[in-house]
Amino acid sequence: RVPLLQAARKNNSFNLLELTEAELKEQFVRGDGPGGQATNKTNNCVVLKHIPSGIVVKCHQTRSVEQNRKIAREILQEKVDLFYKGEDSDVFKEKKALEKKKQEKKRRAKENLERKKHFKEMQQLDKK
């Protein structure tokens, strides 16, 4: 089972709930992490809160405040969609599909490795 809020941040989801600016509280804070003076002296980290659900998103992916605002809204929209729709959300379904595809690929690789191992064992027996 995939935790609902960890499944967010998928770009191919189209049926997301719409957010209005009245539902959002936006703050600009100093970011953290590497970057030195560029990080320590500029307030380009965006903290966005969806008031009805209480979900908070912090975005400091770029130096640009405008780009961080856009990215934060996208992430928040997906998390709010997951919060309200749960397993019916397109984001959740996409995450499950990717997880299933990854498991299938892992299963095939394991089978292939077993086949190679069995083949080598058969060659060793033929040499004796």
Side-chain angles (χ1 to χ4, degrees):
R1 183 170 162 87
V2 178
L4 291 179
L5 293 180
Q6 288 183 0
R9 197 65 185 122
K10 297 291 158 202
N11 296 328
N12 298 335
S13 302
F14 300 111
N15 294 329
L16 299 177
L17 294 175
E18 292 296 320
L19 301 178
T20 61
E21 290 297 317
E23 297 175 332
L24 304 178
K25 181 181 177 188
E26 186 174 45
Q27 290 179 305
F28 302 102
V29 297
R30 289 193 176 110
D32 55 359
Q37 184 177 5
T39 300
N40 298 336
K41 290 195 174 185
T42 57
N43 290 340
N44 57 5
C45 180
V46 177
V47 178
L48 201 57
K49 180 176 183 178
H50 185 250
I51 297 168
S53 66
I55 297 174
V56 178
V57 170
K58 186 175 181 182
C59 180
H60 187 233
Q61 293 182 5
T62 68
R63 287 184 177 183
S64 167
V65 176
E66 290 302 316
Q67 286 180 349
N68 285 336
R69 289 180 76 203
K70 182 181 177 199
I71 294 168
R73 278 169 172 70
E74 290 172 0
I75 295 170
L76 184 67
Q77 186 178 20
E78 292 172 358
K79 287 193 176 196
V80 167
D81 189 67
L82 278 170
F83 182 77
Y84 286 117
K85 291 183 181 176
E87 294 183 6
D88 295 332
S89 172
D90 290 344
V91 177
F92 185 80
K93 290 176 184 175
E94 186 176 329
K95 178 74 173 176
K96 288 294 273 185
L98 286 173
E99 187 177 299
K100 188 175 181 181
K101 188 175 180 181
K102 185 178 178 181
Q103 287 175 349
E104 179 63 24
K105 186 176 179 180
K106 190 175 180 180
R107 184 189 62 77
R108 275 189 265 125
K110 189 175 180 180
E111 284 179 358
N112 205 7
L113 189 65
E114 288 294 323
R115 260 191 247 117
K116 286 180 181 179
K117 187 177 177 182
H118 185 266
F119 181 73
K120 284 184 179 181
E121 288 174 357
M122 295 302 286
Q123 281 184 334
Q124 292 294 330
L125 289 175
D126 288 344
K127 286 182 181 178
K128 292 181 181 180

